[in-house]
Amino acid sequence: MATVAVYDITNNQVGDIELNDSIFGVEMNAGLLHQAVVMQLAAQRLGTHATKTRGFVRGGGRKPWKQKGTGRARAGSTRSPLWVGGGTVFGPHPRKYAFSMPRKQRRLALKCALSDKVKSGDLIVLESLNFDAPKTKQVVKMLGDFGVDSKALFITADEAENVEKSARNIPGAKAIQALGLNVYDILHHDKLFITKDAITRIEEVFATTKTYLPSAMS
């Protein structure tokens, strides 16, 4: 098991913690990570786009001119897609973009993302993280103490309203609960600040003695 340092919010080391290799020491699978991110972003698409076919465009009920004798091309409606103001052919219509992945693949993708952060040294374990009141300057000071000037994700075991409110006014900063952890947020942020309790919560849910690796993506 990998051993990483545990810090307080002022960047002073207060101990060490061993990380479960079945979660934080998984071999990278870039294809699986890509699929997980695409799935998550696709689920966020509204899919409310809509165009009108000739059947939905107002007007065009009368034949514009007689079939023969005018010398012009045959036309049955002024709302044909060939006409200005006519319907749209093969335009987008309301739909759902969401799709699903097998549960084992979703979990493995999350483990790959966490393992990559550990390997790159971008996962910082905190003894605890909580504030008495929402104060953005407390998070700013904390990031300054750790020398972090990039996007940061704060992960707590349970809902920490003061932490969430303190971080949301900082561009690139976000706070979530351990059970709300997802691949996109992990990859989107450069640094991960995670509490010891959150690690315990993650290991309780995701720890397993077997690692599933789809042959098609290995």
Side-chain angles (χ1 to χ4, degrees), residues 4-34:
V4 297
V6 179
Y7 300 90
D8 60 16
I9 60 174
T10 60
N11 196 15
N12 293 319
Q13 184 173 350
V14 295
D16 298 302
I17 187 174
E18 288 188 349
L19 301 178
N20 193 321
D21 285 340
S22 66
I23 300 175
F24 298 95
V26 177
E27 184 179 353
M28 173 55 64
N29 189 324
L32 196 61
L33 282 179
H34 176 266

Side-chain angles (χ1 to χ4, degrees), residues 167-187:
R168 67 186 180 186
N169 289 330
I170 303 175
K174 183 178 181 180
I176 61 174
Q177 301 180 50
L179 296 183
L181 198 58
N182 59 86
V183 174
Y184 177 77
D185 278 337
I186 295 174
L187 299 181

